[in-house]
Amino acid sequence: MTSQQRVRVVVIGGGMAAARLAQRLRPAGAGGPALTVLGAEPHAPYNRVLLAEVLAGRYAPEVIALPAPHDGVRWLGGVRAVRIDRAARTVLCDDGRAVPYDRLVLATGSNPVLPPLRGLFPPGLFPPGHFPPGHDGLPDGIHPFRTLDDCTALAAAAARPGVRAVVIGGGLLGVSAARALAERGVSVLLAQQGEHLMERQLDAGAAALLRAHIEALGVEVHTECRVRGLRVEDGSVRGVELADGYVPDADVVVLACGVRPRVGLARAAGLPVDRGIVVDDELRTADPRIHAIGDCAQHDGVVYGLAGAALEQADLLARVLSEEAARYRGTRALTRLTLTGPNPGAHLGPDSGAHPGPGSGAHPGLGSVPHSGAHDAPLDLAAFGTPSPRPGDDVVHLSDATRSAYRKVIVRGDRLVGGILLGDLGAVGTLARTWEADDPLPDVPLLHLLTTDRPTPDGGS
């Protein structure tokens, strides 16, 4: 096959999904496509789920860089796609170049949600309910936490002596950011509008243990706490207004309020968009020449927003683009993270995140307030599926608050539909494999699966 006959594949987006796809596709010299990647960020691709470790000072930015794609990949960093011309099969870029394609992959990722807080933007700058896709116009001290540039700016702000930080949002990202800032010696208040932390993954009992642990790190946690606005003076944030009238001082405010799929290019090109870019089982949009993967894609009504799902989709699309028969059936995600105790010598485990793929997770860690007891030890967490049962589901639940141990699984028929494990994760292996494969439960008492995952002398578990 000559270079003129080679299929031209263009990927818009330079994140984890794009990097994985570039790794999985065969090089052009080995019969693969001529691959061009357009990445708006100027950096080499990196593992964004390790950004909290960079913020905490545990890793240098170069440590989280992903393996470089093979030499046949044309990787254009710092180049932003501005329009897709479907009729001409061309992508137009902000530097004036036009990049032709035979197959186009949208891996545009997601934007951080900027909540409608009074003081976030100057009055009258944007129509009510409409906010810009980037961070331009934010007061000094306001920091989204999504990209390496966000992380670098936040780390620089946190390095100032006596900094006081408020993290808005108590999900996985907010907990990670609060931990990382506390590890840097920053005074941190974490404001969560919901009833408990990490509502998508945890029930109230598990969240109570998580809260006790991060409070032992020196983080002040407020739940059922709505942020009403920001106190801004001379273009810089000075405090946060809570709905109950409390106004904590703040030099740094971290917005950890979720993400929204970046779908503007697809919508402008006339592709069907719901919450994400709608794709079929071949990750193909309504245009048979255009695919979408990662945070921007919506498959079977689901937008995953998880690194593991993005990697799985990239793997499958590489097969589709190589003309192999492959169908995407969804991703069964497993979230894992490790929170170290307040002892600076405590271990921070690097294995966490969403299945599948190495390094797909987040790692909350150390604080500066000395405590003793159960919270001195690391707290491991694994969660999958739904945290709440339906009527008729079977629930097995073990809890020991003195040891920060909590184990709960939800069973529907012979299948796992959800699980939460905090503390010793020795039991997680069999449960995780069963969940990820959607297999029937092993023919052993479920209580046994919750108490051990280690082989017995006769080879059982």
Side-chain angles (χ1 to χ4, degrees), residues 35-57:
L35 180 60
T36 300
V37 179
L38 306 174
E41 292 189 65
H43 317 286
Y46 55 88
N47 187 343
R48 64 176 167 81
V49 297
L50 295 178
L51 286 175
E53 299 315 300
V54 176
L55 177 58

Side-chain angles (χ1 to χ4, degrees), residues 59 161 315 366 420:
Y59 297 159
D315 290 348
L366 302 178
I420 304 168

